[in-house]
Amino acid sequence: MSMRAPRGTADILPNEVKRWQYVESILKDICDRFNYDEIRTPLFEHTEVFQRGVGDSTDIVQKEMYTFEDRGGRSLTLRPEGTATVVRAFVENKLYGSPIQPVKLFYFMQLFRYERPQQGRMRQLNQFGVEVLGSADPSVDAEVIALAMTCYKELGLSSLKLVLNSLGDKESRQNHRKALVEHFSPYKDELCSDCQKRLNQNPLRILDCKTDRDHPAMKTAPSILDYLNEYSEQYFNQVKAYLDMMEIPYVIDQNLVRGLDYYNHTAFEIMSEAEGFGAITTLAGGGRYNGLTEELGGPNTPGIGFAMGLERLLMAIDAENIKLPIDSSVDCFFIAVGETAEKQASQLVHKLRVNGIQVDKDYQGRKMKAQFKAADRLKAKYVIILGDNELEDDIVNVKNMKTGDQTEVPLTDLVKTMQAELLGGSQNE
RNA sequence: GCGGUCGUGGCGAAGCGGUCAACGCACCGGAUUGUGGCUCCGGCAUUCGUGGGUUCGAUUCCCACCGGUCGCCCCA
């Protein structure tokens, strides 16, 4: 096959789409209760938005962006990440001037990253995320985390781990950075090549390295938590206190460093602990990014958010064997036999449809038996039969597929009868 | 970007140099000329991922590429 979807992309077929729609409806409903409003931003941005917003030293910017030049010579990039585009929109549209503060936003986005695909990692991926701009109150941090956890909980997931850390403010980070460089410099030659680079660029990320995880210097490395200044420490304590009050369990991981440059203070990750989930266990990640608005040309506005991968969310639902309540049945299947009946069927089917009843029919002039099979396949609740016998008496036979009961219904009463049947049927179930 | 593994009909899966290919499921038709989920019979691969090569001959051997999958890096 030569015409294939590009590597790392996937078609989501109707059956699967039903699951997505269900999940999306739950997430939207939660956002509604938390009073977050949806924002939609362009699929691509000026490349600079991500270079400045996400950070030049990050893997995303260095090797994962789909960047292209348009016919006007502009460098554009398919968004690899949500926060930078949302913050750009926040600044550009001066939402910092909105009378309602903070600004609480959610989004569903398709993102693009040039990576080697594997399960739970696609080149085109879907994320649901949330951003709150305009408040530096620790209760907001806790609320955002609570929102994320609520999403998983209401979808029935339970094998989850919330990992929490604080990266501190600028001053704390600088002090910690200095300590890290001093600590690791003597061992530079023993560290992996990535970490040798990180030592200069972003020593914090050495802590997150899997290659050097067992190096003795790791254990004794200075923890950011020991370098938090008073404000940062208090802030972190308050976030934890709010989570405790909401009874949201978490574990502290001093080595949790998020991959993007813009994070400070609260950083968190939600992982799946379900058996057989695969190597990639991160379901969602987020944190605070005070200062990012300035980086993108706006006034200094505090912000915090998270994003969760929807592909991974669906995977986790499967891994925990959760059956989503998806109704794939059709209410009625109309069976017509004979030319006259088939012609009249189209008319009756349309009449039922415009009166709010879900109906499907055969389109291939098949025999009654085959039409019944089709009705079964569609899990039809009722079959409506119109043939020569019925035509003579101006009636139709309505068969309840579950009970097998069949009754004659005058054509003039069909809509009314079906409305009554279907209403009654749903009440019983 | 690196490494392992795999690529046969709509799906699952045999064949592993020599009649262009078992079997199962699904689907279509018939037995049963107006009633489904059972049974029986029949039908259903003119590119065996793509392109080269070896050979008298390749789905079967070799190479490259493409793709899936698992892992590494990193992340959602």
Side-chain angles (χ1 to χ4, degrees):
Chain A
M1 282 232 282
S2 54
M3 297 303 282
R4 276 198 278 216
R7 184 164 218 195
T9 67
D11 301 310
I12 304 174
L13 301 176
N15 239 357
E16 185 68 8
V17 169
K18 291 202 172 77
R19 306 179 70 225
W20 284 77
Q21 288 174 334
Y22 175 77
V23 165
E24 286 163 8
S25 71
I26 297 290
L27 299 180
K28 277 181 187 158
D29 179 63
I30 291 166
C31 286
D32 190 49
R33 275 179 271 148
F34 279 71
N35 198 31
Y36 286 58
D37 293 320
E38 182 172 0
I39 185 168
R40 303 188 185 191
T41 65
L43 202 66
F44 55 84
E45 296 275 354
H46 291 291
T47 301
E48 208 187 337
V49 170
F50 302 115
Q51 286 173 334
R52 303 191 53 146
V54 180
D56 261 325
S57 74
T58 59
D59 281 4
I60 286 183
V61 171
Q62 281 188 342
K63 50 186 201 190
E64 293 178 6
M65 295 207 301
Y66 276 95
T67 297
F68 62 98
E69 199 171 277
D70 75 0
R71 288 165 188 270
R74 289 169 278 260
S75 177
L76 301 171
T77 295
L78 301 183
R79 60 188 180 202
E81 196 264 348
T83 301
T85 83
V86 169
V87 170
R88 191 231 86 226
F90 173 88
V91 170
E92 180 169 343
N93 296 286
K94 301 184 169 57
L95 296 186
Y96 47 79
S98 161
I100 298 169
Q101 295 292 337
V103 175
K104 305 201 291 182
L105 304 167
F106 78 88
Y107 60 80
F108 286 90
M109 281 187 190
Q110 290 169 309
L111 307 177
F112 303 84
R113 295 184 195 172
Y114 191 89
E115 289 190 281
R116 183 82 175 264
Q118 69 188 71
Q119 191 174 45
R121 168 185 292 161
M122 302 292 283
R123 289 186 172 179
Q124 177 176 331
L125 59 125
N126 289 274
Q127 284 189 348
F128 159 74
V130 142
E131 313 289 352
V132 179
L133 290 127
S135 170
D137 189 278
S139 73
V140 174
D141 301 48
E143 174 177 302
V144 164
I145 293 170
L147 195 160
M149 294 305 285
T150 302
C151 294
Y152 294 114
K153 196 176 168 196
E154 294 200 5
L155 285 164
L157 294 172
S158 53
S159 299
L160 297 172
K161 185 166 75 172
L162 168 62
V163 182
L164 194 64
N165 192 22
S166 173
L167 305 175
D169 61 10
K170 208 170 181 179
E171 184 190 52
S172 309
R173 289 186 66 160
Q174 274 171 356
N175 290 337
H176 181 231
R177 183 197 160 100
K178 224 168 103 185
L180 281 172
V181 174
E182 278 171 22
H183 176 79
F184 281 112
S185 287
Y187 308 104
K188 185 171 181 182
D189 295 338
E190 298 166 25
L191 297 175
C192 75
S193 58
D194 280 336
C195 282
Q196 293 185 13
K197 275 180 236 154
R198 287 172 184 146
L199 193 53
N200 299 320
Q201 288 178 345
N202 193 348
L204 195 58
R205 290 182 58 202
I206 296 176
L207 299 176
D208 205 25
C209 179
K210 265 109 193 156
T211 310
D212 295 325
R213 180 172 20 199
D214 297 323
H215 192 281
M218 271 314 190
K219 289 197 186 85
T220 55
S223 163
I224 177 67
L225 296 181
D226 295 329
Y227 285 81
L228 295 181
N229 57 23
E230 196 174 336
Y231 173 76
S232 297
E233 190 177 349
Q234 281 207 0
Y235 194 93
F236 191 40
N237 286 336
Q238 288 182 69
V239 172
K240 287 187 287 188
Y242 278 117
L243 288 174
D244 291 338
M245 280 189 280
M246 289 188 276
E247 294 178 6
I248 294 172
Y250 54 86
V251 296
I252 303 292
D253 180 356
Q254 322 178 347
N255 291 340
L256 174 69
V257 175
R258 310 249 55 251
L260 314 184
D261 286 354
Y262 51 61
Y263 286 114
N264 44 57
H265 289 292
T266 311
F268 67 98
E269 220 165 85
I270 299 168
M271 334 255 258
S272 172
E273 295 189 302
E275 297 243 349
F277 188 74
I280 298 173
T281 57
T282 304
L283 294 178
R288 183 160 276 285
Y289 47 80
N290 299 344
L292 180 56
T293 49
E294 271 185 311
E295 204 61 47
L296 293 172
N300 189 358
T301 310
I304 179 168
F306 76 83
M308 65 171 68
L310 295 182
E311 284 83 1
R312 290 181 187 183
L313 170 57
L314 269 319
M315 273 171 62
I317 287 170
D318 286 337
E320 292 201 26
N321 238 316
I322 292 163
K323 296 277 171 286
L324 301 178
I326 288 163
D327 178 19
S328 58
S329 67
V330 65
D331 288 341
C332 303
F333 191 87
F334 201 106
I335 291 180
V337 181
E339 261 183 59
T340 319
E342 279 171 33
K343 288 209 177 90
Q344 229 188 89
S346 289
Q347 183 197 342
L348 289 167
V349 163
H350 185 249
K351 195 172 166 193
L352 285 163
R353 287 172 175 165
V354 297
N355 278 286
I357 294 164
Q358 186 187 32
V359 197
D360 206 347
K361 67 187 274 288
D362 172 72
Y363 298 93
Q364 295 163 84
R366 285 188 288 193
K367 306 204 159 151
M368 180 169 279
K369 180 168 179 147
Q371 295 198 47
F372 261 95
K373 277 193 174 179
D376 267 333
R377 241 176 281 123
L378 293 172
K379 296 179 192 140
K381 297 186 184 79
Y382 291 91
V383 158
I384 302 168
I385 304 156
L386 181 66
D388 291 339
N389 300 343
E390 286 83 2
L391 280 175
E392 274 181 34
D393 301 336
D394 282 328
I395 57 147
V396 100
N397 264 297
V398 174
K399 180 168 184 172
N400 181 321
M401 291 297 273
K402 206 168 172 183
T403 63
D405 296 341
Q406 186 166 311
T407 54
E408 296 186 347
V409 176
L411 280 181
T412 47
D413 294 345
L414 182 57
V415 167
K416 208 169 55 189
T417 305
M418 293 319 295
Q419 285 173 337
E421 284 289 335
L422 287 163
L423 189 64
S426 64
Q427 280 173 341
N428 288 338
E429 293 193 59

